Amino acid sequence: SGDNKRERFDAMVQKGRAKAQNLKQKGAARVEDLKTRQRAHADHVREIHDEGAGLSYGERLKRMISAYGPLALGFHFGVEACVTGCFYVAIKYGLDVTSLLQFFHDCTGIDTSKTLSP
């Protein structure tokens, strides 16, 4: 009876080790799959960026929507609405736009002199 218990115990240990090994292999396969997907995504983003370097704003927006779907469109217009609303409120409450553009020029070095002039 003692030998029988020992044999069953050894069988359970072997079965557990086999399951653990199987899980390790599945985990390694999943990690490799994720790495492959990450590389493919990085290549896709790089390709889109390189192709879009000389495109107009509208064409880049079309490509972004085709790549990322309607969520990108909603996000884009949501950000645009927030920025426009913030500028509207700032100007309504007396923000001096000329001083803001001068501050922007001083910080970045980007020429803003033609922004307000016709």
Side-chain angles (χ1 to χ4, degrees):
S1 170
D3 289 337
N4 192 12
K5 286 182 181 179
R6 180 64 185 186
E7 288 174 9
R8 284 190 307 191
F9 177 76
D10 289 341
M12 285 182 9
V13 168
Q14 282 300 106
K15 190 175 180 181
R17 286 181 180 162
K19 282 186 178 182
Q21 185 64 27
N22 189 17
L23 286 174
K24 280 183 183 179
Q25 290 173 350
K26 284 182 180 180
R30 288 185 71 186
V31 168
E32 279 303 313
D33 182 50
L34 286 173
K35 285 181 180 180
T36 302
R37 288 180 186 201
Q38 286 174 340
R39 283 191 291 271
H41 178 69
D43 291 343
H44 175 71
V45 169
R46 196 174 305 111
E47 178 182 313
I48 287 174
H49 183 266
D50 291 344
E51 287 178 5
L55 298 176
S56 69
Y57 180 76
E59 188 61 33
R60 288 189 311 208
L61 184 62
K62 286 179 189 176
R63 286 188 178 204
M64 179 183 67
I65 292 169
S66 70
Y68 298 105
L71 180 66
L73 185 64
F75 179 80
H76 176 75
F77 284 120
V79 169
E80 290 289 329
C82 288
V83 168
T84 303
C86 288
F87 276 116
Y88 173 78
V89 169
I91 292 170
K92 181 179 178 181
Y93 287 102
L95 175 73
D96 185 12
V97 177
T98 308
S99 298
L100 177 67
L101 289 173
Q102 182 61 43
F103 175 76
F104 182 76
H105 171 69
D106 293 343
C107 290
T108 63
I110 296 174
D111 182 24
T112 57
S113 61
K114 296 180 184 176
T115 305
L116 295 178
S117 58

